PDB file of all heavy atoms in Angstrom:
ATOM      1  N   ALA A  22     -83.402  63.635 218.194  1.00 98.00           N
ATOM      2  CA  ALA A  22     -84.304  64.738 218.203  1.00 98.00           C
ATOM      3  C   ALA A  22     -85.696  64.365 218.711  1.00 98.00           C
ATOM      4  O   ALA A  22     -86.149  63.253 218.384  1.00 98.00           O
ATOM      5  CB  ALA A  22     -84.423  65.293 216.762  1.00 98.00           C
ATOM      6  N   SER A  23     -86.280  65.281 219.382  1.00 98.00           N
ATOM      7  CA  SER A  23     -87.685  65.100 219.771  1.00 98.00           C
ATOM      8  C   SER A  23     -88.386  66.440 219.806  1.00 98.00           C
ATOM      9  O   SER A  23     -87.759  67.498 219.827  1.00 98.00           O
ATOM     10  CB  SER A  23     -87.771  64.407 221.205  1.00 98.00           C
ATOM     11  OG  SER A  23     -87.211  65.335 222.205  1.00 98.00           O
ATOM     12  N   GLY A  24     -89.771  66.418 219.740  1.00 97.00           N
ATOM     13  CA  GLY A  24     -90.439  67.649 219.776  1.00 97.00           C
ATOM     14  C   GLY A  24     -90.466  68.429 218.508  1.00 97.00           C
ATOM     15  O   GLY A  24     -90.913  69.602 218.480  1.00 97.00           O
ATOM     16  N   LEU A  25     -90.052  67.899 217.343  1.00 97.00           N
ATOM     17  CA  LEU A  25     -90.059  68.486 216.103  1.00 97.00           C
ATOM     18  C   LEU A  25     -90.373  67.428 215.012  1.00 97.00           C
ATOM     19  O   LEU A  25     -90.145  66.214 215.235  1.00 97.00           O
ATOM     20  CB  LEU A  25     -88.826  69.304 215.841  1.00 97.00           C
ATOM     21  CG  LEU A  25     -87.483  68.580 215.960  1.00 97.00           C
ATOM     22  CD1 LEU A  25     -87.166  67.716 214.689  1.00 97.00           C
ATOM     23  CD2 LEU A  25     -86.354  69.566 216.180  1.00 97.00           C
ATOM     24  N   THR A  26     -90.752  67.872 213.851  1.00 97.00           N
ATOM     25  CA  THR A  26     -90.952  66.968 212.753  1.00 97.00           C
ATOM     26  C   THR A  26     -89.671  66.729 212.019  1.00 97.00           C
ATOM     27  O   THR A  26     -89.191  67.459 211.224  1.00 97.00           O
ATOM     28  CB  THR A  26     -92.007  67.485 211.782  1.00 97.00           C
ATOM     29  OG1 THR A  26     -93.229  67.841 212.484  1.00 97.00           O
ATOM     30  CG2 THR A  26     -92.293  66.529 210.641  1.00 97.00           C
ATOM     31  N   PHE A  27     -88.957  65.773 212.490  1.00 97.00           N
ATOM     32  CA  PHE A  27     -87.569  65.592 212.208  1.00 97.00           C
ATOM     33  C   PHE A  27     -87.320  65.504 210.602  1.00 97.00           C
ATOM     34  O   PHE A  27     -86.330  66.075 210.150  1.00 97.00           O
ATOM     35  CB  PHE A  27     -87.019  64.262 212.771  1.00 97.00           C
ATOM     36  CG  PHE A  27     -85.517  63.942 212.572  1.00 97.00           C
ATOM     37  CD1 PHE A  27     -84.633  64.715 213.285  1.00 97.00           C
ATOM     38  CD2 PHE A  27     -85.187  62.916 211.725  1.00 97.00           C
ATOM     39  CE1 PHE A  27     -83.311  64.430 213.123  1.00 97.00           C
ATOM     40  CE2 PHE A  27     -83.776  62.712 211.521  1.00 97.00           C
ATOM     41  CZ  PHE A  27     -82.829  63.460 212.301  1.00 97.00           C
ATOM     42  N   SER A  28     -88.217  64.939 209.923  1.00 97.00           N
ATOM     43  CA  SER A  28     -88.028  64.769 208.429  1.00 97.00           C
ATOM     44  C   SER A  28     -88.046  66.003 207.672  1.00 97.00           C
ATOM     45  O   SER A  28     -87.658  65.961 206.477  1.00 97.00           O
ATOM     46  CB  SER A  28     -89.086  63.774 207.935  1.00 97.00           C
ATOM     47  OG  SER A  28     -90.353  64.368 208.100  1.00 97.00           O
ATOM     48  N   VAL A  29     -88.444  67.193 208.263  1.00 97.00           N
ATOM     49  CA  VAL A  29     -88.456  68.435 207.488  1.00 97.00           C
ATOM     50  C   VAL A  29     -87.307  69.307 207.930  1.00 97.00           C
ATOM     51  O   VAL A  29     -87.295  70.451 207.551  1.00 97.00           O
ATOM     52  CB  VAL A  29     -89.740  69.148 207.549  1.00 97.00           C
ATOM     53  CG1 VAL A  29     -90.844  68.288 206.938  1.00 97.00           C
ATOM     54  CG2 VAL A  29     -90.132  69.604 208.946  1.00 97.00           C
ATOM     55  N   TYR A  30     -86.406  68.779 208.669  1.00 98.00           N
ATOM     56  CA  TYR A  30     -85.226  69.585 209.104  1.00 98.00           C
ATOM     57  C   TYR A  30     -83.953  69.001 208.509  1.00 98.00           C
ATOM     58  O   TYR A  30     -83.736  67.759 208.551  1.00 98.00           O
ATOM     59  CB  TYR A  30     -85.174  69.540 210.624  1.00 98.00           C
ATOM     60  CG  TYR A  30     -86.142  70.450 211.297  1.00 98.00           C
ATOM     61  CD1 TYR A  30     -87.367  70.070 211.566  1.00 98.00           C
ATOM     62  CD2 TYR A  30     -85.693  71.790 211.700  1.00 98.00           C
ATOM     63  CE1 TYR A  30     -88.351  70.931 212.159  1.00 98.00           C
ATOM     64  CE2 TYR A  30     -86.666  72.583 212.263  1.00 98.00           C
ATOM     65  CZ  TYR A  30     -87.956  72.205 212.512  1.00 98.00           C
ATOM     66  OH  TYR A  30     -88.837  73.088 213.077  1.00 98.00           O
ATOM     67  N   ALA A  31     -83.134  69.844 208.026  1.00 98.00           N
ATOM     68  CA  ALA A  31     -81.765  69.542 207.778  1.00 98.00           C
ATOM     69  C   ALA A  31     -81.021  69.530 209.130  1.00 98.00           C
ATOM     70  O   ALA A  31     -81.410  70.316 210.022  1.00 98.00           O
ATOM     71  CB  ALA A  31     -81.075  70.553 206.817  1.00 98.00           C
ATOM     72  N   MET A  32     -79.998  68.712 209.306  1.00 98.00           N
ATOM     73  CA  MET A  32     -79.306  68.571 210.553  1.00 98.00           C
ATOM     74  C   MET A  32     -77.826  68.919 210.293  1.00 98.00           C
ATOM     75  O   MET A  32     -77.193  68.503 209.354  1.00 98.00           O
ATOM     76  CB  MET A  32     -79.475  67.211 211.038  1.00 98.00           C
ATOM     77  CG  MET A  32     -80.935  66.774 211.286  1.00 98.00           C
ATOM     78  SD  MET A  32     -81.698  67.812 212.495  1.00 98.00           S
ATOM     79  CE  MET A  32     -80.786  67.350 213.997  1.00 98.00           C
ATOM     80  N   GLY A  33     -77.294  69.553 211.341  1.00 98.00           N
ATOM     81  CA  GLY A  33     -75.854  69.909 211.184  1.00 98.00           C
ATOM     82  C   GLY A  33     -75.069  69.559 212.457  1.00 98.00           C
ATOM     83  O   GLY A  33     -75.612  69.413 213.522  1.00 98.00           O
ATOM     84  N   TRP A  34     -73.777  69.452 212.272  1.00 98.00           N
ATOM     85  CA  TRP A  34     -72.856  69.264 213.382  1.00 98.00           C
ATOM     86  C   TRP A  34     -71.851  70.462 213.343  1.00 98.00           C
ATOM     87  O   TRP A  34     -71.254  70.764 212.304  1.00 98.00           O
ATOM     88  CB  TRP A  34     -72.057  67.988 213.256  1.00 98.00           C
ATOM     89  CG  TRP A  34     -72.867  66.755 213.598  1.00 98.00           C
ATOM     90  CD1 TRP A  34     -73.490  65.946 212.715  1.00 98.00           C
ATOM     91  CD2 TRP A  34     -73.116  66.230 214.899  1.00 98.00           C
ATOM     92  NE1 TRP A  34     -74.122  64.896 213.337  1.00 98.00           N
ATOM     93  CE2 TRP A  34     -73.864  65.077 214.708  1.00 98.00           C
ATOM     94  CE3 TRP A  34     -72.749  66.585 216.149  1.00 98.00           C
ATOM     95  CZ2 TRP A  34     -74.344  64.265 215.764  1.00 98.00           C
ATOM     96  CZ3 TRP A  34     -73.222  65.837 217.259  1.00 98.00           C
ATOM     97  CH2 TRP A  34     -73.961  64.672 217.025  1.00 98.00           C
ATOM     98  N   PHE A  35     -71.606  71.048 214.491  1.00 98.00           N
ATOM     99  CA  PHE A  35     -70.599  72.043 214.625  1.00 98.00           C
ATOM    100  C   PHE A  35     -69.698  71.627 215.828  1.00 98.00           C
ATOM    101  O   PHE A  35     -70.149  70.784 216.594  1.00 98.00           O
ATOM    102  CB  PHE A  35     -71.333  73.433 215.008  1.00 98.00           C
ATOM    103  CG  PHE A  35     -71.947  74.012 213.796  1.00 98.00           C
ATOM    104  CD1 PHE A  35     -73.280  73.543 213.414  1.00 98.00           C
ATOM    105  CD2 PHE A  35     -71.466  75.050 213.092  1.00 98.00           C
ATOM    106  CE1 PHE A  35     -73.960  74.116 212.348  1.00 98.00           C
ATOM    107  CE2 PHE A  35     -72.089  75.585 212.009  1.00 98.00           C
ATOM    108  CZ  PHE A  35     -73.401  75.142 211.625  1.00 98.00           C
ATOM    109  N   ARG A  36     -68.600  72.255 215.909  1.00 98.00           N
ATOM    110  CA  ARG A  36     -67.729  72.081 217.121  1.00 98.00           C
ATOM    111  C   ARG A  36     -67.041  73.335 217.490  1.00 98.00           C
ATOM    112  O   ARG A  36     -66.844  74.231 216.690  1.00 98.00           O
ATOM    113  CB  ARG A  36     -66.599  70.999 216.712  1.00 98.00           C
ATOM    114  CG  ARG A  36     -65.664  71.449 215.696  1.00 98.00           C
ATOM    115  CD  ARG A  36     -64.704  70.259 215.351  1.00 98.00           C
ATOM    116  NE  ARG A  36     -63.695  70.628 214.344  1.00 98.00           N
ATOM    117  CZ  ARG A  36     -62.861  69.853 213.778  1.00 98.00           C
ATOM    118  NH1 ARG A  36     -62.920  68.525 214.066  1.00 98.00           N
ATOM    119  NH2 ARG A  36     -61.937  70.238 212.963  1.00 98.00           N
ATOM    120  N   GLN A  37     -66.664  73.357 218.731  1.00 98.00           N
ATOM    121  CA  GLN A  37     -66.067  74.476 219.326  1.00 98.00           C
ATOM    122  C   GLN A  37     -65.000  74.062 220.275  1.00 98.00           C
ATOM    123  O   GLN A  37     -65.152  73.391 221.293  1.00 98.00           O
ATOM    124  CB  GLN A  37     -67.030  75.449 220.082  1.00 98.00           C
ATOM    125  CG  GLN A  37     -66.466  76.756 220.479  1.00 98.00           C
ATOM    126  CD  GLN A  37     -67.486  77.728 220.914  1.00 98.00           C
ATOM    127  OE1 GLN A  37     -68.658  77.379 221.247  1.00 98.00           O
ATOM    128  NE2 GLN A  37     -67.225  78.983 220.786  1.00 98.00           N
ATOM    129  N   ALA A  38     -63.771  74.464 219.996  1.00 97.00           N
ATOM    130  CA  ALA A  38     -62.579  74.152 220.859  1.00 97.00           C
ATOM    131  C   ALA A  38     -62.461  75.390 221.753  1.00 97.00           C
ATOM    132  O   ALA A  38     -62.914  76.490 221.490  1.00 97.00           O
ATOM    133  CB  ALA A  38     -61.341  73.938 219.980  1.00 97.00           C
ATOM    134  N   PRO A  39     -61.715  75.182 222.880  1.00 93.00           N
ATOM    135  CA  PRO A  39     -61.540  76.221 223.877  1.00 93.00           C
ATOM    136  C   PRO A  39     -60.840  77.500 223.150  1.00 93.00           C
ATOM    137  O   PRO A  39     -59.879  77.317 222.484  1.00 93.00           O
ATOM    138  CB  PRO A  39     -60.680  75.664 224.903  1.00 93.00           C
ATOM    139  CG  PRO A  39     -60.983  74.250 224.827  1.00 93.00           C
ATOM    140  CD  PRO A  39     -61.200  73.935 223.361  1.00 93.00           C
ATOM    141  N   GLY A  40     -61.511  78.627 223.387  1.00 95.00           N
ATOM    142  CA  GLY A  40     -60.927  79.888 222.848  1.00 95.00           C
ATOM    143  C   GLY A  40     -61.108  80.098 221.343  1.00 95.00           C
ATOM    144  O   GLY A  40     -60.622  81.019 220.783  1.00 95.00           O
ATOM    145  N   MET A  41     -61.878  79.124 220.772  1.00 96.00           N
ATOM    146  CA  MET A  41     -62.025  79.302 219.240  1.00 96.00           C
ATOM    147  C   MET A  41     -63.557  79.481 218.945  1.00 96.00           C
ATOM    148  O   MET A  41     -64.414  79.277 219.731  1.00 96.00           O
ATOM    149  CB  MET A  41     -61.570  77.891 218.555  1.00 96.00           C
ATOM    150  CG  MET A  41     -60.165  77.520 218.944  1.00 96.00           C
ATOM    151  SD  MET A  41     -58.990  78.606 218.203  1.00 96.00           S
ATOM    152  CE  MET A  41     -59.091  78.079 216.486  1.00 96.00           C
ATOM    153  N   LYS A  42     -63.702  80.024 217.717  1.00 96.00           N
ATOM    154  CA  LYS A  42     -65.077  80.182 217.249  1.00 96.00           C
ATOM    155  C   LYS A  42     -65.713  78.845 216.933  1.00 96.00           C
ATOM    156  O   LYS A  42     -64.975  77.851 216.735  1.00 96.00           O
ATOM    157  CB  LYS A  42     -65.072  80.995 215.953  1.00 96.00           C
ATOM    158  CG  LYS A  42     -64.794  82.460 216.130  1.00 96.00           C
ATOM    159  CD  LYS A  42     -64.611  83.181 214.805  1.00 96.00           C
ATOM    160  CE  LYS A  42     -65.901  82.923 213.944  1.00 96.00           C
ATOM    161  NZ  LYS A  42     -65.804  83.644 212.635  1.00 96.00           N
ATOM    162  N   ARG A  43     -67.034  78.765 216.994  1.00 97.00           N
ATOM    163  CA  ARG A  43     -67.779  77.576 216.630  1.00 97.00           C
ATOM    164  C   ARG A  43     -67.535  77.310 215.136  1.00 97.00           C
ATOM    165  O   ARG A  43     -67.608  78.228 214.303  1.00 97.00           O
ATOM    166  CB  ARG A  43     -69.212  77.653 216.925  1.00 97.00           C
ATOM    167  CG  ARG A  43     -70.001  76.377 216.843  1.00 97.00           C
ATOM    168  CD  ARG A  43     -71.137  76.355 217.713  1.00 97.00           C
ATOM    169  NE  ARG A  43     -72.064  77.484 217.548  1.00 97.00           N
ATOM    170  CZ  ARG A  43     -73.080  77.707 218.409  1.00 97.00           C
ATOM    171  NH1 ARG A  43     -73.372  76.880 219.396  1.00 97.00           N
ATOM    172  NH2 ARG A  43     -73.820  78.771 218.105  1.00 97.00           N
ATOM    173  N   GLU A  44     -67.171  76.096 214.723  1.00 98.00           N
ATOM    174  CA  GLU A  44     -66.785  75.699 213.423  1.00 98.00           C
ATOM    175  C   GLU A  44     -67.797  74.734 212.779  1.00 98.00           C
ATOM    176  O   GLU A  44     -68.191  73.788 213.535  1.00 98.00           O
ATOM    177  CB  GLU A  44     -65.412  75.099 213.496  1.00 98.00           C
ATOM    178  CG  GLU A  44     -64.858  74.522 212.189  1.00 98.00           C
ATOM    179  CD  GLU A  44     -63.646  73.617 212.355  1.00 98.00           C
ATOM    180  OE1 GLU A  44     -63.333  73.291 213.532  1.00 98.00           O
ATOM    181  OE2 GLU A  44     -62.897  73.394 211.313  1.00 98.00           O
ATOM    182  N   PHE A  45     -68.164  74.903 211.577  1.00 98.00           N
ATOM    183  CA  PHE A  45     -69.005  73.993 210.872  1.00 98.00           C
ATOM    184  C   PHE A  45     -68.240  72.678 210.616  1.00 98.00           C
ATOM    185  O   PHE A  45     -67.078  72.693 210.174  1.00 98.00           O
ATOM    186  CB  PHE A  45     -69.457  74.690 209.542  1.00 98.00           C
ATOM    187  CG  PHE A  45     -70.169  73.643 208.670  1.00 98.00           C
ATOM    188  CD1 PHE A  45     -71.533  73.320 208.877  1.00 98.00           C
ATOM    189  CD2 PHE A  45     -69.504  73.074 207.523  1.00 98.00           C
ATOM    190  CE1 PHE A  45     -72.154  72.425 208.046  1.00 98.00           C
ATOM    191  CE2 PHE A  45     -70.096  72.218 206.726  1.00 98.00           C
ATOM    192  CZ  PHE A  45     -71.493  71.811 206.972  1.00 98.00           C
ATOM    193  N   VAL A  46     -68.902  71.555 210.889  1.00 98.00           N
ATOM    194  CA  VAL A  46     -68.280  70.299 210.672  1.00 98.00           C
ATOM    195  C   VAL A  46     -69.005  69.592 209.507  1.00 98.00           C
ATOM    196  O   VAL A  46     -68.318  69.197 208.541  1.00 98.00           O
ATOM    197  CB  VAL A  46     -68.360  69.448 212.026  1.00 98.00           C
ATOM    198  CG1 VAL A  46     -67.923  68.023 211.749  1.00 98.00           C
ATOM    199  CG2 VAL A  46     -67.592  70.035 213.092  1.00 98.00           C
ATOM    200  N   SER A  47     -70.253  69.488 209.594  1.00 98.00           N
ATOM    201  CA  SER A  47     -71.004  68.643 208.557  1.00 98.00           C
ATOM    202  C   SER A  47     -72.498  68.962 208.643  1.00 98.00           C
ATOM    203  O   SER A  47     -72.984  69.501 209.692  1.00 98.00           O
ATOM    204  CB  SER A  47     -70.745  67.196 208.797  1.00 98.00           C
ATOM    205  OG  SER A  47     -71.405  66.389 207.779  1.00 98.00           O
ATOM    206  N   ALA A  48     -73.182  68.689 207.590  1.00 98.00           N
ATOM    207  CA  ALA A  48     -74.658  68.828 207.576  1.00 98.00           C
ATOM    208  C   ALA A  48     -75.212  67.821 206.581  1.00 98.00           C
ATOM    209  O   ALA A  48     -74.585  67.501 205.651  1.00 98.00           O
ATOM    210  CB  ALA A  48     -75.097  70.262 207.248  1.00 98.00           C
ATOM    211  N   ILE A  49     -76.490  67.553 206.819  1.00 98.00           N
ATOM    212  CA  ILE A  49     -77.237  66.635 205.880  1.00 98.00           C
ATOM    213  C   ILE A  49     -78.587  67.162 205.587  1.00 98.00           C
ATOM    214  O   ILE A  49     -79.229  67.710 206.493  1.00 98.00           O
ATOM    215  CB  ILE A  49     -77.262  65.228 206.521  1.00 98.00           C
ATOM    216  CG1 ILE A  49     -77.890  64.208 205.478  1.00 98.00           C
ATOM    217  CG2 ILE A  49     -77.996  65.258 207.770  1.00 98.00           C
ATOM    218  CD1 ILE A  49     -77.652  62.771 205.952  1.00 98.00           C
ATOM    219  N   GLY A  50     -78.952  67.129 204.354  1.00 97.00           N
ATOM    220  CA  GLY A  50     -80.221  67.655 203.986  1.00 97.00           C
ATOM    221  C   GLY A  50     -81.449  66.959 204.549  1.00 97.00           C
ATOM    222  O   GLY A  50     -81.325  65.870 205.106  1.00 97.00           O
ATOM    223  N   TRP A  51     -82.654  67.522 204.449  1.00 96.00           N
ATOM    224  CA  TRP A  51     -83.821  67.011 205.069  1.00 96.00           C
ATOM    225  C   TRP A  51     -84.185  65.649 204.565  1.00 96.00           C
ATOM    226  O   TRP A  51     -84.649  64.713 205.327  1.00 96.00           O
ATOM    227  CB  TRP A  51     -85.021  67.943 204.874  1.00 96.00           C
ATOM    228  CG  TRP A  51     -85.400  68.049 203.428  1.00 96.00           C
ATOM    229  CD1 TRP A  51     -84.905  68.899 202.468  1.00 96.00           C
ATOM    230  CD2 TRP A  51     -86.382  67.275 202.752  1.00 96.00           C
ATOM    231  NE1 TRP A  51     -85.459  68.763 201.308  1.00 96.00           N
ATOM    232  CE2 TRP A  51     -86.410  67.744 201.378  1.00 96.00           C
ATOM    233  CE3 TRP A  51     -87.273  66.223 203.079  1.00 96.00           C
ATOM    234  CZ2 TRP A  51     -87.249  67.195 200.486  1.00 96.00           C
ATOM    235  CZ3 TRP A  51     -88.120  65.713 202.152  1.00 96.00           C
ATOM    236  CH2 TRP A  51     -88.011  66.214 200.866  1.00 96.00           C
ATOM    237  N   ASN A  52     -83.782  65.330 203.346  1.00 93.00           N
ATOM    238  CA  ASN A  52     -84.087  64.028 202.758  1.00 93.00           C
ATOM    239  C   ASN A  52     -82.892  63.154 202.727  1.00 93.00           C
ATOM    240  O   ASN A  52     -82.945  62.002 202.198  1.00 93.00           O
ATOM    241  CB  ASN A  52     -84.655  64.133 201.374  1.00 93.00           C
ATOM    242  CG  ASN A  52     -83.674  64.866 200.367  1.00 93.00           C
ATOM    243  OD1 ASN A  52     -82.598  65.138 200.739  1.00 93.00           O
ATOM    244  ND2 ASN A  52     -84.151  65.119 199.227  1.00 93.00           N
ATOM    245  N   GLY A  53     -81.779  63.500 203.300  1.00 93.00           N
ATOM    246  CA  GLY A  53     -80.512  62.676 203.385  1.00 93.00           C
ATOM    247  C   GLY A  53     -79.786  62.630 202.085  1.00 93.00           C
ATOM    248  O   GLY A  53     -78.696  61.949 202.082  1.00 93.00           O
TER     249      GLY A  53
END
């Protein structure tokens, strides 16, 4: 990440397979 104050953001991972909706994979809170 760049251009933001990373430490105040929670971060997530999503995935999307062909023809499918975007799916939640994982997330981590701002403090880990």
